[in-house]
Amino acid sequence: MFEPFINFRLRLKALLHRRQLDRDLEEELSFHLSLRQASHHASGAAPGESHTAAQREFGNVTAFQEACRDMWTFVSLENLWQDVRFAARTLRKEPGFTAMAVLSLALGMGANTAVFTIVNDLLLKTIPVEDPANLVSFGKAEGGGVQGDLSGSVDIFPYEFYQRAASRPDVFRGICSYGSFPIALNVRQGDSAGPTGQATGALVSGDFFSVLGVNTMLGRPTTPADTAAPASEPVAVISYDYWQQNFSSDPSVVGRSMLLNGTIFTVIGVAPRNFYGITLDSRPPDMWLPVTMQEQAMRRPSMLGRGDPYWLHMMGRLQPGVSMARAQEWLKLELRRYMLDSEGAGITADRRQAIEKSYVELLPGGRGVSYLRGQYAEPLRILMGVVGLVLLIACANLANFFLAKMAAREREITTRLALGAGASRIVRQMLTEALLVSFLGGAVGLL
């Protein structure tokens, strides 16, 4: 039962005290040879004959030593370490080849890593929400606040349309809205006597966090009750970074007051550490405020009534079994009805025709929304292909250099084969050299 453990302990001891064990083994083998030689000498053999007879009976001492070492050492690890040391010595003897190989790989790996990092952040990575694959965006969400008279593809909406769509759970399990632009906030902690700081805020609907499936780390998120009436609930959910930098990670921050653009808001929660919202901005929001506090937060007239600007983006989650095509058709009809109702009886024929051309393109929302994605997605894909091709060319050139290098070492390889080295061991040695160059190239590529 304990035999594997005992063997492992012995092998570990041999690894740590290799020289001492080698000396002990040599002394023990010499002792046994001396005993056999003494036995033959006592039988009447001459000293030279007794020594020869003892060696003949005992066998190949070197082979016996190797067999003993294989029994109490990690053979594979030792062979690997020998290959690495030999590869390092070989590369050190050829600094020109080593420098060329390492720099070629470093440039290829560094460029690919840098470009792929951007591609991953902008095109591939999903936002940190629950089940991002089920999230849909109402259009590309690239526009800012505009007045009415929209036509064609619409991706920005007034607050009244959000309320109308969110109150009809026919197709969507939930719909949330958020402001299409960040808000600059002058912040004072506590009352107006404190120092002034700067922050960015985002106006969101009360169901913003629940539709995304994001809970707070401390306190609670905003709820529909917080947006039941305009200016009724001056509350704020702050980001994890803002909590760390401005509240020193104080767990008692929930319930504190902040003066935001002249209005007192109460902190009700701290967002999770990895949550930065659903827009891929260079600076994520420092806090999320109820959309019904727009007038106080922005210090401008209300934009929550009929006929007000189109300034909100929307996201939602489909009901189980509802397809994107059905949801898009439903949303198109709802938008056209809302536009016709907003125009009233005095609508012109041209405006009616423009409204009939309006629609909403539903898009996957799991990767968030970004203006940069629309501008640079195609160039980034092309750039990724180019740097990938550069890396392939560098690898192909390096492979050719290695083949030429192996041809120049033909005499060395032939000699090693003649001395008894196996073909697999020689191939492994060559692969070790290539891997060592690759690791060095990757290390330099990090710079």
Side-chain angles (χ1 to χ4, degrees), residues 273-288:
R273 182 172 190 170
N274 63 341
F275 182 71
Y276 50 82
I278 54 181
T279 55
L280 306 180
D281 294 331
S282 58
R283 183 181 177 185
D286 294 313
M287 58 190 72
W288 293 269

Side-chain angles (χ1 to χ4, degrees), residues 256-431:
R256 289 193 187 181
S257 297
M258 295 187 299
L259 193 67
L260 305 179
N261 287 351
T263 301
I264 296 178
F265 283 73
T266 302
V267 177
I268 61 171
V270 178
R273 182 172 190 170
N274 63 341
F275 182 71
Y276 50 82
I278 54 181
T279 55
L280 306 180
D281 294 331
S282 58
R283 183 181 177 185
D286 294 313
M287 58 190 72
W288 293 269
L289 313 175
V291 68
T292 47
M293 297 300 300
Q294 169 265 319
E295 187 174 358
Q296 291 73 25
M298 296 178 62
R299 289 188 295 188
R300 59 168 293 170
S302 174
M303 297 190 297
L304 305 178
R306 177 181 288 269
D308 280 326
Y310 286 55
W311 65 287
L312 293 174
H313 294 313
M314 294 168 60
M315 273 198 171
R317 290 188 182 273
L318 297 174
Q319 290 281 13
V322 176
S323 65
M324 290 276 281
R326 178 188 167 190
Q328 185 165 310
E329 183 66 21
W330 179 87
L331 198 58
K332 178 186 71 175
L333 296 177
E334 286 295 316
L335 177 65
R336 291 177 181 177
R337 290 194 192 101
Y338 171 79
M339 288 180 167
L340 290 172
D341 292 344
S342 298
E343 295 290 338
I347 184 174
T348 64
D350 291 341
R351 180 57 187 155
R352 185 181 293 274
Q353 287 182 347
I355 291 176
E356 291 301 319
K357 297 178 181 178
S358 300
Y359 65 95
V360 180
E361 182 183 10
L362 284 183
L363 300 171
R367 296 197 302 272
V369 296
S370 171
Y371 172 76
L372 294 177
R373 180 183 297 150
Q375 293 293 107
Y376 299 108
E378 194 60 31
L380 278 175
R381 291 190 181 98
I382 296 174
L383 184 60
M384 189 70 219
V386 170
V387 295
L389 184 61
V390 169
L391 181 59
L392 288 177
I393 293 174
C395 291
N397 288 334
L398 193 59
N400 289 330
F401 278 119
F402 266 107
L403 288 175
K405 187 169 177 283
M406 293 305 105
R409 295 171 61 183
E410 181 179 358
R411 179 177 297 179
E412 173 200 334
I413 296 172
T414 304
T415 303
R416 294 178 65 183
L417 289 172
L419 292 175
S424 59
R425 181 64 186 272
I426 294 177
V427 171
R428 188 174 64 189
Q429 176 62 54
M430 305 308 170
L431 291 177

Side-chain angles (χ1 to χ4, degrees), residues 155-179:
D155 64 351
I156 193 166
F157 310 91
Y159 180 67
E160 188 181 26
F161 177 76
Y162 154 72
Q163 289 181 304
R164 182 168 175 170
S167 64
R168 299 270 309 275
D170 307 339
V171 175
F172 292 92
R173 188 172 50 183
I175 297 176
C176 66
S177 63
Y178 56 97

Side-chain angles (χ1 to χ4, degrees), residues 125-130 132 212-214 272-278 366:
K125 189 167 64 176
T126 59
I127 55 177
V129 299
E130 178 186 352
L212 297 181
V214 176
R273 182 172 190 170
N274 63 341
F275 182 71
Y276 50 82
I278 54 181

